[in-house]
C-alpha cells in the first residue's frame, strides 16, 4: 500500500509537515490535500506546461500569443478620474480628494481605535451618491444601529446585513449593486470553498480577491475593515494589500482622544497626508486646524516649553515640547523619560547641549513630553531645535516672554542645519501669531524675499547661538 502524503494544492512542491492536523500550506496558505506520491507528482506535472518552441518555463502556463500587442508608452492617453468626495475634509485629504468609482480600500487599526465609528460617518456622507451597503460579520444589526444612532449617522439609504458567508455577501452585492460598500471585517468572512478556518491567511486572501473583483466589475466603491495583529501590523494575507487600491491606517494614543488617519498605499493619490480626528461619545469629527489642539494658549512663552513644526504631507502641524530638568541626586544613571519625542533624537539633543553649551545634563534627570500626545516621527529631525529650546529654557528657568517657534536640526558638530520645507513651516508659525521664528542660517538664505526680510525670522548657525537666547 502506497504511503499517504500531504501536498499543497496551489504548488505541490511546497513542503508540508507529515505530522499533525494540517489544512493550510505554511508557505503560501493554500489548501492541503492527501494522496500518494503519484498523486503529488501528477499535480506537479499538471502545473507545468511547455512554452513556445517546446521550452519549459516551469510554471503553470506556457507562452501564448497576446490578444493585443504591447505599445509605446507615449501613445497612451491619460485622463484624470472623477473624484467622489465624502465631504469629510480630513478623510478626503488622506485618500487624495475623494473616492474614485470602483476604488477598493483596506482600513486597519488596533481594536477600539474607532474604525467602525469613522466608517459610520463615511457611510452617512456617501448616501448622497446612492445606496450604501454595510455588511457586519462581527456585530449584530442592532449593535450597528445603536452606534450609528449615537453618531447621528442613520439614513434610509444605508442597508445593513449581518453575514459571514462570502458567497452570500457576493450575492448581496449582485442584488443591491450599491454605490458604496463597507465590510466589517475581512477576518470574519469565510468561503465554503476553502477548508481553512475563518480568519486564516487563506480565507483572508480568498475574500479580498473575490470582493475586490466583484466591486471592480460592478463599479462599487468599497472599504474593507482589516484587523491588526499583536505585532501592530495588518492581519491576513499580504495579497490583500496588493489587490486593493488604498491601504489606510487609523492610529491613536491612549492619552489623547485624537485619531490619526494615514495612507500606507494609494494608487490614486499621495501617501504623505495625515487626517486628524477627535473621537467623542457622539461624534468622530475632523480637526481641520490642529494648532489649538497641539499647543497651549501660551505655548512657547513659558519656561520649559519649545514649539516646532512637523510636516504631514503638505500640512505643517505644530508640536509643543515640554521639558523638566531635575537634579539626579546620587543616582549612577539619572532618569531620562521621553514621551512623543523619539528617544534617539532626544539623546542626541542632550549630548549636543552638554558638549557645546555646558548644560551639565549627564547627572540630571530629563523628562520630555509633547502636548496632546502627538508623536514626532524619527525622520522629523527639524523638531530638534524645539526640543533643545525646551531643555535650555527649563534648565535656566527663564524666558523673555516672547512666543517663539524653533525650526532646525542639531548636527553632532553643534551646527544647526536643515532646509526641507522650512518656508512652509515659517509661514504657518507666522500665521499662528508667533513673535519670532528661529531657523537655520543655511535655510534662511533660500527663503523667499518676503520671509527673508521679515524681522520676525531669526537665523542662527550654531547651538551656542540658541543658548544665548536663554541667558
Amino acid at each position: 500500500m502506497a504511503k499517504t502524503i500531504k501536498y499543497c494544492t496551489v504548488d505541490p512542491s511546497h513542503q508540508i509537515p507529515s505530522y499533525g492536523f494540517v489544512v493550510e500550506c505554511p508557505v503560501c496558505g493554500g489548501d492541503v490535500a492527501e494522496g500518494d506520491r503519484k498523486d503529488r507528482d501528477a499535480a506537479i506535472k499538471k502545473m507545468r506546461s511547455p512554452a513556445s518552441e517546446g521550452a519549459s518555463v516551469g510554471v503553470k502556463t506556457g507562452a501564448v500569443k497576446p490578444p493585443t500587442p504591447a505599445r509605446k508608452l507615449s501613445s497612451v492617453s491619460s485622463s484624470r478620474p472623477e473624484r467622489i468626495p465624502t465631504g469629510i475634509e480630513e478623510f478626503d485629504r488622506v485618500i487624495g480628494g475623494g473616492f474614485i468609482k470602483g476604488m477598493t480600500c483596506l482600513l486597519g487599526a488596533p481594536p477600539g481605535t474607532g474604525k467602525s465609528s469613522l466608517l459610520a460617518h463615511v457611510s452617512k456622507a456617501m448616501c448622497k451618491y446612492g445606496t450604501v451597503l454595510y455588511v457586519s460579520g462581527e456585530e449584530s444589526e442592532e449593535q450597528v444601529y445603536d452606534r450609528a444612532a449615537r453618531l447621528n449617522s442613520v439614513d434610509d439609504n444605508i442597508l445593513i446585513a449581518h453575514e459571514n458567508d462570502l458567497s452570500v455577501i457576493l450575492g448581496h452585492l449582485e442584488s443591491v449593486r450599491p454605490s458604496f460598500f463597507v465590510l466589517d471585517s475581512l477576518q470574519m468572512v469565510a468561503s465554503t470553498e476553502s477548508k481553512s478556518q475563518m480568519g486564516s491567511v487563506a480565507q483572508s486572501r480568498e475574500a479580498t480577491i473575490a470582493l475586490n473583483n466583484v466591486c471592480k466589475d460592478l463599479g462599487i466603491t468599497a472599504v474593507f475593515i482589516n484587523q491588526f495583529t499583536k505585532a501592530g501590523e495588518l492581519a491576513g494575507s499580504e495579497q490583500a494589500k496588493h489587490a486593493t487600491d488604498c491601504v489606510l491606517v487609523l492610529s491613536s494614543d491612549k492619552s489623547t482622544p485624537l485619531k490619526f488617519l494615514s495612507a500606507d498605499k494609494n494608487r490614486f493619490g499621495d501617501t504623505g497626508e495625515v487626517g486628524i480626528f477627535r473621537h467623542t461619545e457622539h461624534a468622530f469629527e475632523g480637526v481641520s486646524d490642529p494648532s489649538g489642539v497641539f499647543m497651549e494658549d501660551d505655548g512657547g512663552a513659558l519656561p520649559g516649553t519649545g514649539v516646532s513644526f512637523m510636516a504631514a504631507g503638505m500640512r505643517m502641524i505644530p508640536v509643543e515640547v515640554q521639558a523638566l530638568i531635575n537634579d539626579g541626586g546620587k543616582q549612577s544613571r539619572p532618569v531620562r523619560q521621553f514621551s512623543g519625542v523619539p528617544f534617539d533624537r532626544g539623546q542626541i539633543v542632550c549630548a549636543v547641549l552638554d558638549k557645546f553649551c555646558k548644560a551639565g545634563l549627564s547627572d540630571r534627570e530629563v523628562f520630555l513630553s509633547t502636548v496632546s500626545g502627538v508623536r514626532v516621527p524619527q525622520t522629523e529631525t527639524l523638531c530638534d531645535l524645539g526640543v533643545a529650546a525646551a531643555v535650555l529654557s527649563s534648565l535656566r528657568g527663564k524666558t523673555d516672554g516672547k512666543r517663539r517657534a524653533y525650526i532646525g536640526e542639531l548636527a553632532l558638530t553643534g551646527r544647526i542645519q536643515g532646509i526641507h520645507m522650512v518656508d512652509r513651516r515659517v509661514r504657518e508659525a507666522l500665521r499662528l501669531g508667533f513673535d519670532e521664528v528661529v531657523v537655520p542660517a543655511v535655510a534662511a538664505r533660500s527663503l523667499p524675499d518676503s520671509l527673508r526680510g521679515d524681522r520676525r525670522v531669526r537665523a542662527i548657525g550654531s547651538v551656542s547661538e540658541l543658548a544665548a537666547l536663554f541667558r
Side-chain angles (χ1 to χ4, degrees):
M1 184 177 177
K3 181 181 177 181
T4 300
I5 61 172
K6 298 173 182 177
Y7 59 91
C8 174
T9 57
V10 176
D11 188 343
S13 65
H14 290 168
Q15 296 295 318
I16 306 296
S18 58
Y19 55 85
F21 182 68
V22 182
V23 296
E24 184 178 295
C25 174
V27 179
C28 68
D31 293 338
V32 172
E34 290 188 354
D36 56 25
R37 291 191 179 277
K38 289 183 179 180
D39 295 330
R40 188 187 66 178
D41 292 344
I44 293 176
K45 188 175 181 181
K46 187 177 179 181
M47 277 185 59
R48 305 178 186 277
S49 62
S52 58
E53 303 300 328
S56 175
V57 293
V59 291
K60 293 184 180 180
T61 57
V64 297
K65 185 177 180 179
T68 56
R71 56 175 173 157
K72 294 180 180 179
L73 179 63
S74 58
S75 68
V76 179
S77 59
S78 175
S79 60
R80 286 184 175 273
E82 184 180 349
R83 289 285 177 179
I84 307 171
T86 65
I88 302 173
E89 183 182 350
E90 294 300 298
F91 188 86
D92 290 341
R93 180 196 302 275
V94 176
I95 62 174
F99 288 114
I100 288 170
K101 187 175 182 180
M103 179 178 179
T104 54
C105 304
L106 280 182
L107 173 62
T113 307
K115 304 180 294 292
S116 301
S117 297
L118 173 60
L119 287 183
H121 281 293
V122 174
S123 297
K124 172 71 179 294
M126 292 297 288
C127 284
K128 57 179 174 283
Y129 299 110
T131 304
V132 173
L133 176 62
Y134 194 110
V135 174
S136 173
E138 297 187 21
E139 299 175 315
S140 67
E141 296 174 3
E142 291 76 18
Q143 288 173 311
V144 175
Y145 171 81
D146 288 342
R147 179 191 301 106
R150 175 168 48 83
L151 298 172
N152 192 29
S153 297
V154 176
D155 194 285
D156 289 340
N157 271 359
I158 300 178
L159 303 182
I160 177 70
H162 174 68
E163 188 56 63
N164 301 102
D165 190 318
L166 177 59
S167 300
V168 177
I169 295 173
L170 295 175
H172 278 302
L173 288 172
E174 288 279 0
S175 59
V176 176
R177 303 214 169 194
S179 61
F180 185 62
F181 169 57
V182 175
L183 174 65
D184 186 2
S185 65
L186 273 176
Q187 278 63 48
M188 296 302 294
V189 174
S191 170
T192 55
E193 299 298 319
S194 176
K195 298 177 182 178
S196 302
Q197 295 179 339
M198 181 184 292
S200 66
V201 172
Q203 288 284 14
S204 172
R205 182 180 63 248
E206 177 77 17
T208 303
I209 293 174
L211 290 167
N212 189 72
N213 290 344
V214 169
C215 288
K216 293 288 185 186
D217 291 343
L218 300 180
I220 299 171
T221 304
V223 178
F224 312 136
I225 290 181
N226 203 85
Q227 302 298 337
F228 259 39
T229 64
K230 291 181 179 179
E233 299 175 347
L234 286 169
S237 171
E238 281 290 319
Q239 194 156 352
K241 304 175 191 176
H242 298 304
T244 51
D245 299 312
C246 184
V247 178
L248 302 173
V249 176
L250 187 66
S251 58
S252 69
D253 190 280
K254 292 182 179 180
S255 64
T256 172
L258 296 178
K259 314 291 179 181
F260 302 92
L261 181 69
S262 59
D264 280 359
K265 168 192 171 182
N266 190 353
R267 288 194 180 123
F268 302 110
D270 190 15
T271 57
E273 296 292 345
V274 174
I276 303 171
F277 296 85
R278 183 188 284 110
H279 196 181
T280 63
E281 184 180 355
H282 300 290
F284 201 100
E285 57 189 14
V287 181
S288 56
D289 187 358
S291 58
V293 179
F294 296 134
M295 288 192 306
E296 302 289 351
D297 293 338
D298 48 7
L302 294 176
T305 63
V307 176
S308 191
F309 286 81
M310 67 180 187
M314 302 305 288
R315 185 184 202 179
M316 300 300 125
I317 297 178
V319 180
E320 180 177 338
V321 181
Q322 297 178 344
L324 176 63
I325 313 299
N326 282 336
D327 232 344
K330 297 181 180 179
Q331 298 182 59
S332 59
R333 184 176 293 179
V335 176
R336 288 195 175 176
Q337 185 172 314
F338 305 156
S339 175
V341 176
F343 190 78
D344 291 347
R345 296 307 305 175
Q347 289 279 61
I348 288 174
V349 169
C350 291
V352 171
L353 293 178
D354 252 354
K355 172 71 174 178
F356 298 99
C357 301
K358 310 300 180 188
L361 298 174
S362 58
D363 57 353
R364 295 173 186 264
E365 295 178 338
V366 180
F367 299 90
L368 297 175
S369 180
T370 55
V371 171
S372 295
V374 63
R375 294 186 180 276
V376 179
Q378 183 80 30
T379 55
E380 193 57 82
T381 55
L382 285 177
C383 289
D384 285 357
L385 211 56
V387 176
V391 171
L392 288 171
S393 177
S394 175
L395 195 62
R396 307 285 162 78
K398 62 180 180 179
T399 177
D400 59 7
K402 282 188 176 181
R403 290 186 71 234
R404 284 197 186 96
Y406 302 88
I407 301 164
E409 175 186 349
L410 263 62
L412 297 180
T413 59
R415 304 296 295 173
I416 295 174
Q417 59 192 26
I419 59 173
H420 180 60
M421 299 176 77
V422 169
D423 58 332
R424 287 182 173 271
R425 300 170 205 249
V426 171
R427 283 196 179 96
E428 183 64 10
L430 296 178
R431 183 187 75 83
L432 296 176
F434 280 87
D435 301 322
E436 195 170 72
V437 185
V438 180
V439 300
V442 66
R445 291 193 290 268
S446 60
L447 289 176
D449 292 340
S450 59
L451 294 178
R452 208 182 319 155
D454 196 315
R455 293 184 179 180
R456 294 172 294 176
V457 179
R458 178 195 288 253
I460 60 175
S462 67
V463 71
S464 58
E465 293 179 62
L466 174 68
L469 298 177
F470 299 96
R471 287 175 186 159

